[in-house]
Amino acid sequence: PLQEGKEQTANGTSHKTSLTVPYLNPLVLRKELENILTQEGDIALIKPEFVDEHPIIYWNLLWLMERIESKTHLPELCLPVPSDKEHIDPLSKVKTVHIQCLWDNLSLHTEASGPPMYLLYRETQPTSPLIKALLTDHAQLNKNVIQQIISAIRCNDFATPLKRLANERHKLKSNGVERSHSFYRDILFLALTAIG
């Protein structure tokens, strides 16, 4: 999902609001944009109402324009338009907009299924072997297994990580731990985190 966060200051107070919209494949975005242009005309893209009427299309378009480094008028659509331009400083009502593309929704991970591999990879390991042995959680994948999976991916070997992960999940399942993460998704997100 794409996330938009706004900070607004009024009378010395500030608050944050956020909006999350799903990420659209560029082909889907193009088709949806064509539908809007067919139904509403080209003028729809310059109206400030476009942001509220088509938030998914708007934020995905804005994200796409940022990704391809194209100049666009789209960011100005979410800024407020002062009613009296002579007496109001336009900078006094400017909102700060932060757009972030999230490739995983952490709220989807339950305690029962455990954290995905990329989160386990990010955790720092204790340096002392004794502390490491005491803190080992048998309900999670071992860091050595995760390192072996990363090493295989670096060698363009995808079969070994799949087999290794399947074996480890089978061991966890025999201990009563059911991991529901998709194999592909778990390995992909680990690769994104560890390799880039």
Side-chain angles (χ1 to χ4, degrees), residues 9-193:
T9 305
N11 300 331
T13 61
S14 67
H15 66 282
K16 291 184 180 182
T17 60
S18 68
L19 168 72
T20 301
V21 297
Y23 171 79
L24 296 181
N25 175 306
L27 294 174
V28 173
L29 178 61
R30 177 183 175 182
K31 181 64 178 157
E32 291 299 320
L33 186 58
E34 286 176 357
N35 290 340
I36 291 170
L37 295 175
T38 300
Q39 294 171 2
E40 301 176 28
D42 296 349
I43 195 88
L45 289 176
I46 61 170
K47 294 180 181 177
E49 298 83 32
F50 184 77
V51 178
D52 294 325
E53 292 173 0
H54 307 286
I56 296 171
I57 305 302
Y58 174 76
W59 292 109
N60 274 274
L61 268 175
L62 194 60
W63 174 254
L64 182 65
M65 293 300 175
E66 180 68 25
R67 294 279 299 164
I68 63 173
E69 298 178 355
S70 177
K71 291 187 177 188
T72 177
H73 71 287
L74 292 173
E76 286 92 35
L77 291 180
C78 70
L79 298 175
V81 180
S83 56
D84 185 3
K85 293 182 181 180
E86 294 178 346
H87 297 92
I88 297 175
D89 177 11
L91 296 177
S92 66
K93 291 190 175 184
V94 170
K95 300 174 186 176
T96 302
V97 177
H98 172 73
I99 299 175
Q100 178 182 11
C101 187
L102 302 175
W103 43 269
D104 191 21
N105 186 349
L106 295 178
S107 63
L108 297 177
H109 304 296
T110 64
E111 285 186 28
S113 65
M117 283 194 299
Y118 80 93
L119 289 179
L120 295 173
Y121 174 78
R122 286 182 179 166
E123 292 175 359
T124 56
Q125 287 228 18
T127 52
S128 163
L130 177 60
I131 294 174
K132 184 177 175 181
L134 291 172
L135 294 179
T136 300
D137 185 354
H138 295 288
Q140 294 182 356
L141 292 172
N142 186 316
K143 283 275 192 170
N144 292 334
V145 172
I146 293 173
Q147 286 300 332
Q148 291 169 4
I149 290 172
I150 292 168
S151 297
I153 292 169
R154 287 180 195 258
C155 296
N156 291 327
D157 178 6
F158 192 65
T160 301
L162 278 173
K163 290 175 187 173
R164 187 74 172 127
L165 187 55
N167 288 337
E168 290 302 312
R169 287 198 182 175
H170 182 69
K171 288 178 192 175
L172 289 173
K173 192 172 185 177
S174 65
N175 290 336
V177 179
E178 183 70 40
R179 293 188 50 93
S180 61
H181 308 296
S182 153
F183 281 75
Y184 174 76
R185 187 179 176 94
D186 215 4
I187 292 172
L188 176 67
F189 288 179
L190 176 64
L192 285 171
T193 303

